Amino acid sequence: MTQLNETHDPASRSWVDSANQPDSDFPIQNLPFAVFRRKGSQESWRGGVAIGEQIVDLALAARHPGVFEGMALEAARAGSQATLNALMALGPAAWSALRLALSRALRASARAAQRAALETTLIAQAQAEYTVPARIGDYTDFYTSLYHATNIGKQFRPDNPLMPNFKWLPVGYHGRASSIGVSGQPVQRPVGQQRPLAEGQPPVFGPCQRLDYELELGVYIGPGNAQGQPIPLGQAESHVFGLCLLNDWSARDIQAWEYQPLGPFLSKNFATTVSPWIVTLEALAPYRALLARPAGDPQPLPYLDSTEQRTRGALDIQLELTLQTEKMRTAGQAPARVALSNYRHAYWTVAQMVAHHTVGGCNLQPGDFLGTGTLSGPTLDQACALIETTGGGKTPFRLPDGQTRSFLEDGDTVIIRGWCQKAGAARIGFGQCRGTILPARVTG
Ligand code: CA
């Protein structure tokens, strides 16, 4: 587990002024990674690191003599490509070397020559566009919030909301990598089969009527493991490159009809949106938290249990979801908050997901992607899917202008934000993960 070091010093300031603003997501203590190019250009995609409102272009910086050396240079070169898979494959020592070199070169106290060199590699985020930062080979979505599992279980199985396996293993299913897109991607309302209106009738076929979001975090895998060689819990975090925001768009009516016996399929595979920035586990080190299990719950089996995970396995990440309807947008009204939750409510940790995923011999590969599952907390204002907020659509959510939502309507924009904040540490953020619903295709 990453220890605190000089890169976390909350007193550090950068010569990039916008990084020193108290509400910046990207102060010098964060240094998250994305893949970007100049907006509207045909330039090559390449890796970059956020600092304030700027991006350090890793491809330019890696070619500039005197900016990086040794392992940091190797990492910067790997991060110069159109995907971050090569950087992810290098592992924590290389990521840390690059982070330390960037931290020192971006500090207000940096040497003049180094600052001058790095200054020429900066591009304003306002002039950039982003893509999915890794070639994602496989995507697995977990189900790690006890509150979400219980709330949604009540909708689908009123008599038996929480399945007996939930407290023994991180439940998951294999998702679809091809439809993962970056923040800003338009999301077309899916079309599909829904429950018959009456017993003995054929299913209804048409546009989804119960379209929902799921606020989650995404996890990018770093170095993989050989097939047949599980990753032990104690080493799991050295296989994790970092975390991003994730919206697992969900078609509840399609899900209700298709999900038994093999789980969600078309209700989840039409689109999944990620934030462009990946915040490393090292950047999150000041925000480790106690993994609290309700009294009386079983402790995990030995391969999922350690003192370190119990005491520091969770992460204190604030998560917010806001909604802006088309009418609000037209009227110039700001998005309205629907949920404010925290990742520390999750029942299973990142390391437990990795250890469980591989315990049977499955091999993870650099750039593989895990979703945490919907990160609802214990109260209704912490519910991270509309199906929970509205009790399955029965109690519509009221927006400030009087509009209501049971499920998403065409033109709705969903925005997820995440940040970490506490006394004695620098505030760091994840940027945002945004998507707007487009009408379904016309069906005949
Ligand atoms: Ca999900």
Side-chain angles (χ1 to χ4, degrees):
M1 208 174 270
T2 313
Q3 302 302 312
L4 294 182
N5 56 48
E6 66 175 77
T7 66
H8 302 101
D9 181 357
S12 282
R13 312 266 295 172
S14 174
W15 49 260
V16 178
D17 288 336
S18 56
N20 303 322
Q21 300 303 314
D23 59 347
S24 173
D25 274 355
F26 308 124
I28 193 166
Q29 294 85 355
N30 193 349
L31 304 176
F33 292 85
V35 169
F36 79 101
R37 67 181 178 190
R38 239 174 273 268
K39 201 181 285 181
S41 77
Q42 294 301 308
E43 292 175 355
S44 303
W45 296 105
R46 67 270 192 191
V49 174
I51 179 75
E53 294 171 359
Q54 304 285 321
I55 303 169
V56 177
D57 182 332
L58 282 177
L60 279 179
R63 286 199 297 271
H64 212 298
V67 176
F68 301 119
E69 55 189 26
M71 207 184 279
L73 179 59
E74 189 190 351
R77 283 183 177 144
S80 301
Q81 302 174 21
T83 70
L84 297 180
N85 293 65
L87 174 61
M88 291 166 171
L90 287 179
W95 310 332
S96 285
L98 179 55
R99 174 179 166 87
L100 181 62
L102 279 165
S103 173
R104 288 178 174 168
L106 288 165
R107 268 176 225 171
S109 58
R111 285 183 287 116
Q114 204 164 30
R115 170 177 170 167
L118 213 52
E119 248 171 350
T120 64
T121 73
L122 295 182
I123 292 176
Q125 286 163 26
Q127 289 164 21
E129 61 184 0
Y130 303 93
T131 187
V132 177
R135 189 180 58 260
I136 297 173
D138 280 298
Y139 161 41
T140 304
D141 197 21
F142 284 89
Y143 194 58
T144 63
S145 159
L146 175 68
Y147 307 104
H148 174 71
T150 305
N151 292 341
I152 204 159
K154 280 181 195 157
Q155 308 287 336
F156 286 81
R157 296 174 305 276
D159 303 331
N160 185 22
L162 193 68
M163 303 301 271
N165 57 8
F166 183 89
K167 292 187 176 179
W168 290 101
L169 55 82
V171 171
Y173 68 97
H174 287 119
R176 184 72 196 171
S178 67
S179 51
I180 297 176
V182 79
S183 179
Q185 78 162 332
V187 177
Q188 188 181 47
R189 178 179 298 275
V191 167
Q193 286 195 26
Q194 298 137 35
R195 274 186 205 288
L197 295 174
E199 207 168 317
Q201 297 291 308
V204 174
F205 182 81
C208 167
Q209 303 295 315
R210 289 162 70 89
L211 185 57
D212 203 351
Y213 52 75
E214 292 192 336
L215 186 172
E216 306 192 16
L217 286 165
V219 177
Y220 285 95
I221 297 298
N225 59 306
Q227 194 171 3
Q229 294 183 14
I231 298 173
L233 187 67
Q235 291 171 28
E237 290 192 1
S238 63
H239 292 264
V240 172
F241 180 69
L243 273 62
C244 71
L245 305 170
L246 167 64
N247 187 339
D248 177 25
W249 305 97
S250 297
R252 301 299 181 196
D253 40 9
I254 297 172
Q255 185 178 359
W257 172 237
E258 76 177 3
Y259 87 104
Q260 287 177 316
L262 290 185
F265 184 30
L266 308 192
S267 55
K268 303 277 192 175
N269 73 3
F270 56 96
T272 304
T273 306
V274 296
S275 60
W277 294 105
I278 307 172
V279 177
T280 61
L281 275 188
E282 187 171 0
L284 292 165
Y287 293 98
R288 307 303 306 217
L290 183 75
L291 179 63
R293 289 201 152 193
D297 278 14
Q299 288 304 325
L301 296 180
Y303 80 95
L304 291 173
D305 195 18
S306 70
T307 304
E308 189 171 58
Q309 284 300 307
R310 289 191 195 190
T311 54
R312 301 180 63 220
L315 287 163
D316 181 3
I317 303 173
Q318 302 263 23
L319 298 163
E320 180 194 53
L321 187 137
T322 58
L323 178 67
Q324 187 185 45
T325 67
E326 193 163 8
K327 194 174 161 198
M328 290 164 73
R329 196 158 49 248
T330 308
Q333 288 170 348
R337 178 184 285 176
V338 187
L340 182 66
S341 190
N342 193 300
Y343 185 37
R344 69 169 186 270
H345 296 309
Y347 199 83
W348 297 100
T349 66
V350 170
Q352 287 170 327
M353 290 193 288
V354 171
H356 182 67
H357 203 306
T358 61
V359 73
C362 173
N363 48 327
L364 293 173
Q365 303 185 85
D368 278 2
F369 191 66
L370 314 180
T372 58
T374 311
L375 292 173
S376 303
T379 62
L380 196 61
D381 57 353
Q382 296 169 328
C384 290
L386 270 176
I387 191 170
E388 295 173 65
T389 305
T390 68
K394 293 189 194 76
T395 314
F397 182 81
R398 182 169 289 274
L399 291 154
D401 66 352
Q403 289 186 91
T404 58
R405 283 293 180 275
S406 296
F407 289 96
L408 295 172
E409 296 187 9
D410 294 346
D412 286 355
T413 298
V414 176
I415 303 150
I416 297 172
R417 286 195 173 80
W419 65 91
C420 304
Q421 192 163 17
K422 70 171 189 183
R427 178 196 183 281
I428 60 172
F430 283 73
Q432 60 172 273
C433 173
R434 162 191 291 262
T436 300
I437 305 302
L438 300 184
R441 68 186 162 85
V442 177
T443 52

